[in-house]
Amino acid sequence: MNEKIQASTVRVFIALAPPDEAKEELAQALRPAYDAYPTMRWNRIEDWHITLAFLGEVPTATIPLLREPLARLAETRPPLRLALRGAGCFDERVLWSGIDGDLEGLHLLAADVRAVVKDCGIPFEDRPLRPHLTLARSRRDDPAGVVRVAAGLTAFTGRPWDAERLHLVGSNFGRGPGPIRYRDVDAWDFTGGR
């Protein structure tokens, strides 16, 4: 998906995306929470992702530097077997679903992705990986909603699925008021072991 990038900078991250079936399974489990907390700032299901490296705002000229090394990395990797499991919150403000499955492989992939970014000379904040999908953020007038929804999802266990593609995602397309929208700048299949 080689999208043309119009702005002089773009907010970028590298991620995995669950397949639609896995996202829909979690969305079904969230239906009561959607109804109970309609004013919570819910992320769009099509934007759910597992961030491996968040680069932040970078010049658009940086994007071509990443394409070839990320493509080569994806060629060496088999798909990862993962699942969505449980829920929690960061700072009682951010609701997330946890990740289960081949967590060792996920951490190794994230380390290799971050090494690619560093080798390309792109500075970024290299925080420890905490695999999750961000689902929603609380409104200031109801910060306890996130905690209640997380408690209701602790027993959620999704079916296993294969993460089959590495995504380079831009998150500031269509700048302006309203929610942030994500779009693949590029994506590569994991073809190692095939």
Side-chain angles (χ1 to χ4, degrees), residues 38-115:
T39 62
M40 197 177 289
R41 294 182 350 214
W42 293 98
N43 288 7
R44 299 180 325 150
I45 188 172
E46 57 267 34
D47 291 337
W48 289 353
H49 62 273
I50 304 164
T51 301
L52 301 174
F54 180 75
L55 281 55
E57 197 82 19
V58 298
T60 55
T62 301
I63 301 303
L65 299 175
L66 291 166
R67 283 191 163 114
E68 187 176 330
L70 288 174
R72 280 196 311 268
L73 175 61
E75 287 174 359
T76 68
R77 296 300 179 122
L80 286 172
R81 191 79 166 155
L82 302 172
L84 302 176
R85 183 173 187 173
C89 52
F90 297 129
D91 300 326
E92 298 184 352
R93 293 194 63 244
V94 178
L95 174 68
W96 51 262
S97 176
I99 308 300
D100 201 4
D102 185 2
L103 296 180
E104 181 180 348
L106 183 61
H107 281 273
L108 290 171
L109 175 62
D112 287 348
V113 162
R114 293 166 185 215

Side-chain angles (χ1 to χ4, degrees), residues 14 18 102 112 125 163-164:
I14 302 161
D102 185 2
D112 287 348
E125 192 171 340
E164 297 182 332

